[in-house]
Amino acid sequence: MNREKITILFVINTATSNQKGLCPINCRITLNKARKQFATGLLVNPNYWENKLQKVTIQEANHKYINAQLERIQVKIYNIALVFQLQGIEWKLDDIFNEYKGIPLKKEEYMLSCYRKYVARIQKLVGIEIKENTYEKFVYVGNHLEAFIKWNFKKSDFPLKELNLRFLDDFDYYLKTEKHIKQITINKIIQRLRTPIKQAISEGYLDRDPFILYKSKKVHKEVIFLTTKELKIIEESAFQPKRLSIIQDLFVFCCYTGLAFNEMAHLKTKNIQIGFDNMNWIQMKREKTQRQISIPLLPKAQEIIDKYSLVTNYIFPAVSNQKFNAYLKEIAIITEIDKRITHHTARKTFASTVLLYNDVPMEIVSELLGHSNMTITQESYGKVVQKKVSEEMQKLKLRIDNV
């Protein structure tokens, strides 16, 4: 900023005087209509003050000292502003005042820098509190953040103090139009982006959350699951390649247990325990939420476990998620099921076809799926319940019509 934008004015506070009738001299700094006033520590007889000249007259016994001090204050403030300007530092009136008073100027923090510090911090927690893939997701978000700042602001970083809701709206737009990312993924990216903001607030770089009023955009995602007929087709089909036969078993097993891929892949013999009802139960922590889950083994699931020899601690043979889904695609083609089937379809089938379509209450479904709260279950499977109600009403209508 230019020196001309700063106005320094010395004013006499006539409302306050000591026993000798001397009044304090205050310094008033004005910058772009913002004003800051402070006491200089100097006292003067108001009769000897020349306001237009901004100095005391020679009638004042200490006029040389007082005028010299006023000039020193003025020069010091102008020099501080000049140094800020030469260093390319963006500053405000409070920054000048703090520097004049010797209060250390807090280094401005930037969004990308702040985010990277957070990522470096959680990297050290990999294997202790968080998993490697969680860390990699934060790195992925950081890469998008860096690209967005360059694309939108033509800068390498963005000041934390300038963050507002517009920043997230523009980021959402960028991810959607430039990166062609779906809204459900964008919501997750923004959720992770907001995490380091709490750290910045705790460290004093921000006095409030600039994104506090942000609401993620709702995504109405259709739940894809197998019908009773489609599940039966896959169960009863005979697949010649052994690799497809194994995937068939593992997929059907998950349709009757609701296990996610990692839970199925890491299922061990110790996780199969006899419950209070003398039946076998799966007892383990859900990897995603670290929530304890207890799932009774239905006959079909128990049959598949019994089929595999327990040579190692793990019940099922190892297979990658990528290959699992690739083989499921082949199974869908062979069985002529016109749906995009993935391992996650099994979990959806367990909740919908196996549980909700057999009148299992929503709260029990939520418990068996290991959801952290009922809202998640209701948001995901509310329409499945509506569809079930609709089907039952259609049956009732037919019965009434035939009376």
Side-chain angles (χ1 to χ4, degrees), residues 28-154:
R28 181 185 296 162
I29 314 172
T30 305
L31 175 64
N32 296 333
K33 297 182 180 181
R35 179 182 289 182
K36 189 83 175 180
Q37 186 164 301
F38 62 93
T40 64
L42 301 170
L43 298 171
V44 66
N45 186 324
N47 296 323
Y48 300 151
W49 174 253
E50 184 59 57
N51 193 52
K52 287 185 178 180
L53 297 175
Q54 288 283 283
K55 60 174 62 177
V56 294
T57 63
I58 57 174
Q59 283 84 0
E60 171 64 53
N62 294 324
H63 71 277
K64 288 185 179 180
Y65 172 77
I66 294 174
N67 289 336
Q69 289 300 309
L70 294 177
E71 185 178 358
R72 185 188 66 82
I73 293 170
Q74 189 179 55
V75 169
K76 185 176 179 180
I77 293 172
Y78 279 139
N79 284 341
I80 290 169
L82 183 60
V83 169
F84 282 171
Q85 183 181 7
L86 292 175
Q87 291 179 346
I89 298 174
E90 293 185 18
W91 44 272
K92 294 181 179 178
L93 195 54
D94 283 340
D95 297 325
I96 294 177
F97 175 74
N98 290 338
E99 182 70 14
Y100 172 78
K101 287 291 186 180
I103 301 171
L105 181 65
K106 193 172 183 67
K107 185 181 177 182
E108 185 171 17
E109 186 60 275
Y110 289 81
M111 183 63 195
L112 185 58
S113 173
C114 174
Y115 187 87
R116 283 173 174 164
K117 276 198 275 187
Y118 178 81
V119 172
R121 178 184 173 87
I122 66 170
Q123 185 180 22
K124 295 180 180 179
L125 295 174
V126 172
I128 302 173
E129 286 185 5
I130 66 170
K131 298 186 179 298
E132 179 71 30
N133 65 338
T134 301
Y135 163 72
E136 288 173 355
K137 287 174 183 176
F138 275 94
V139 173
Y140 168 79
V141 173
N143 292 336
H144 281 308
L145 175 63
E146 181 179 8
F148 163 69
I149 291 173
K150 289 179 180 177
W151 176 81
N152 196 53
F153 303 105
K154 307 297 185 290

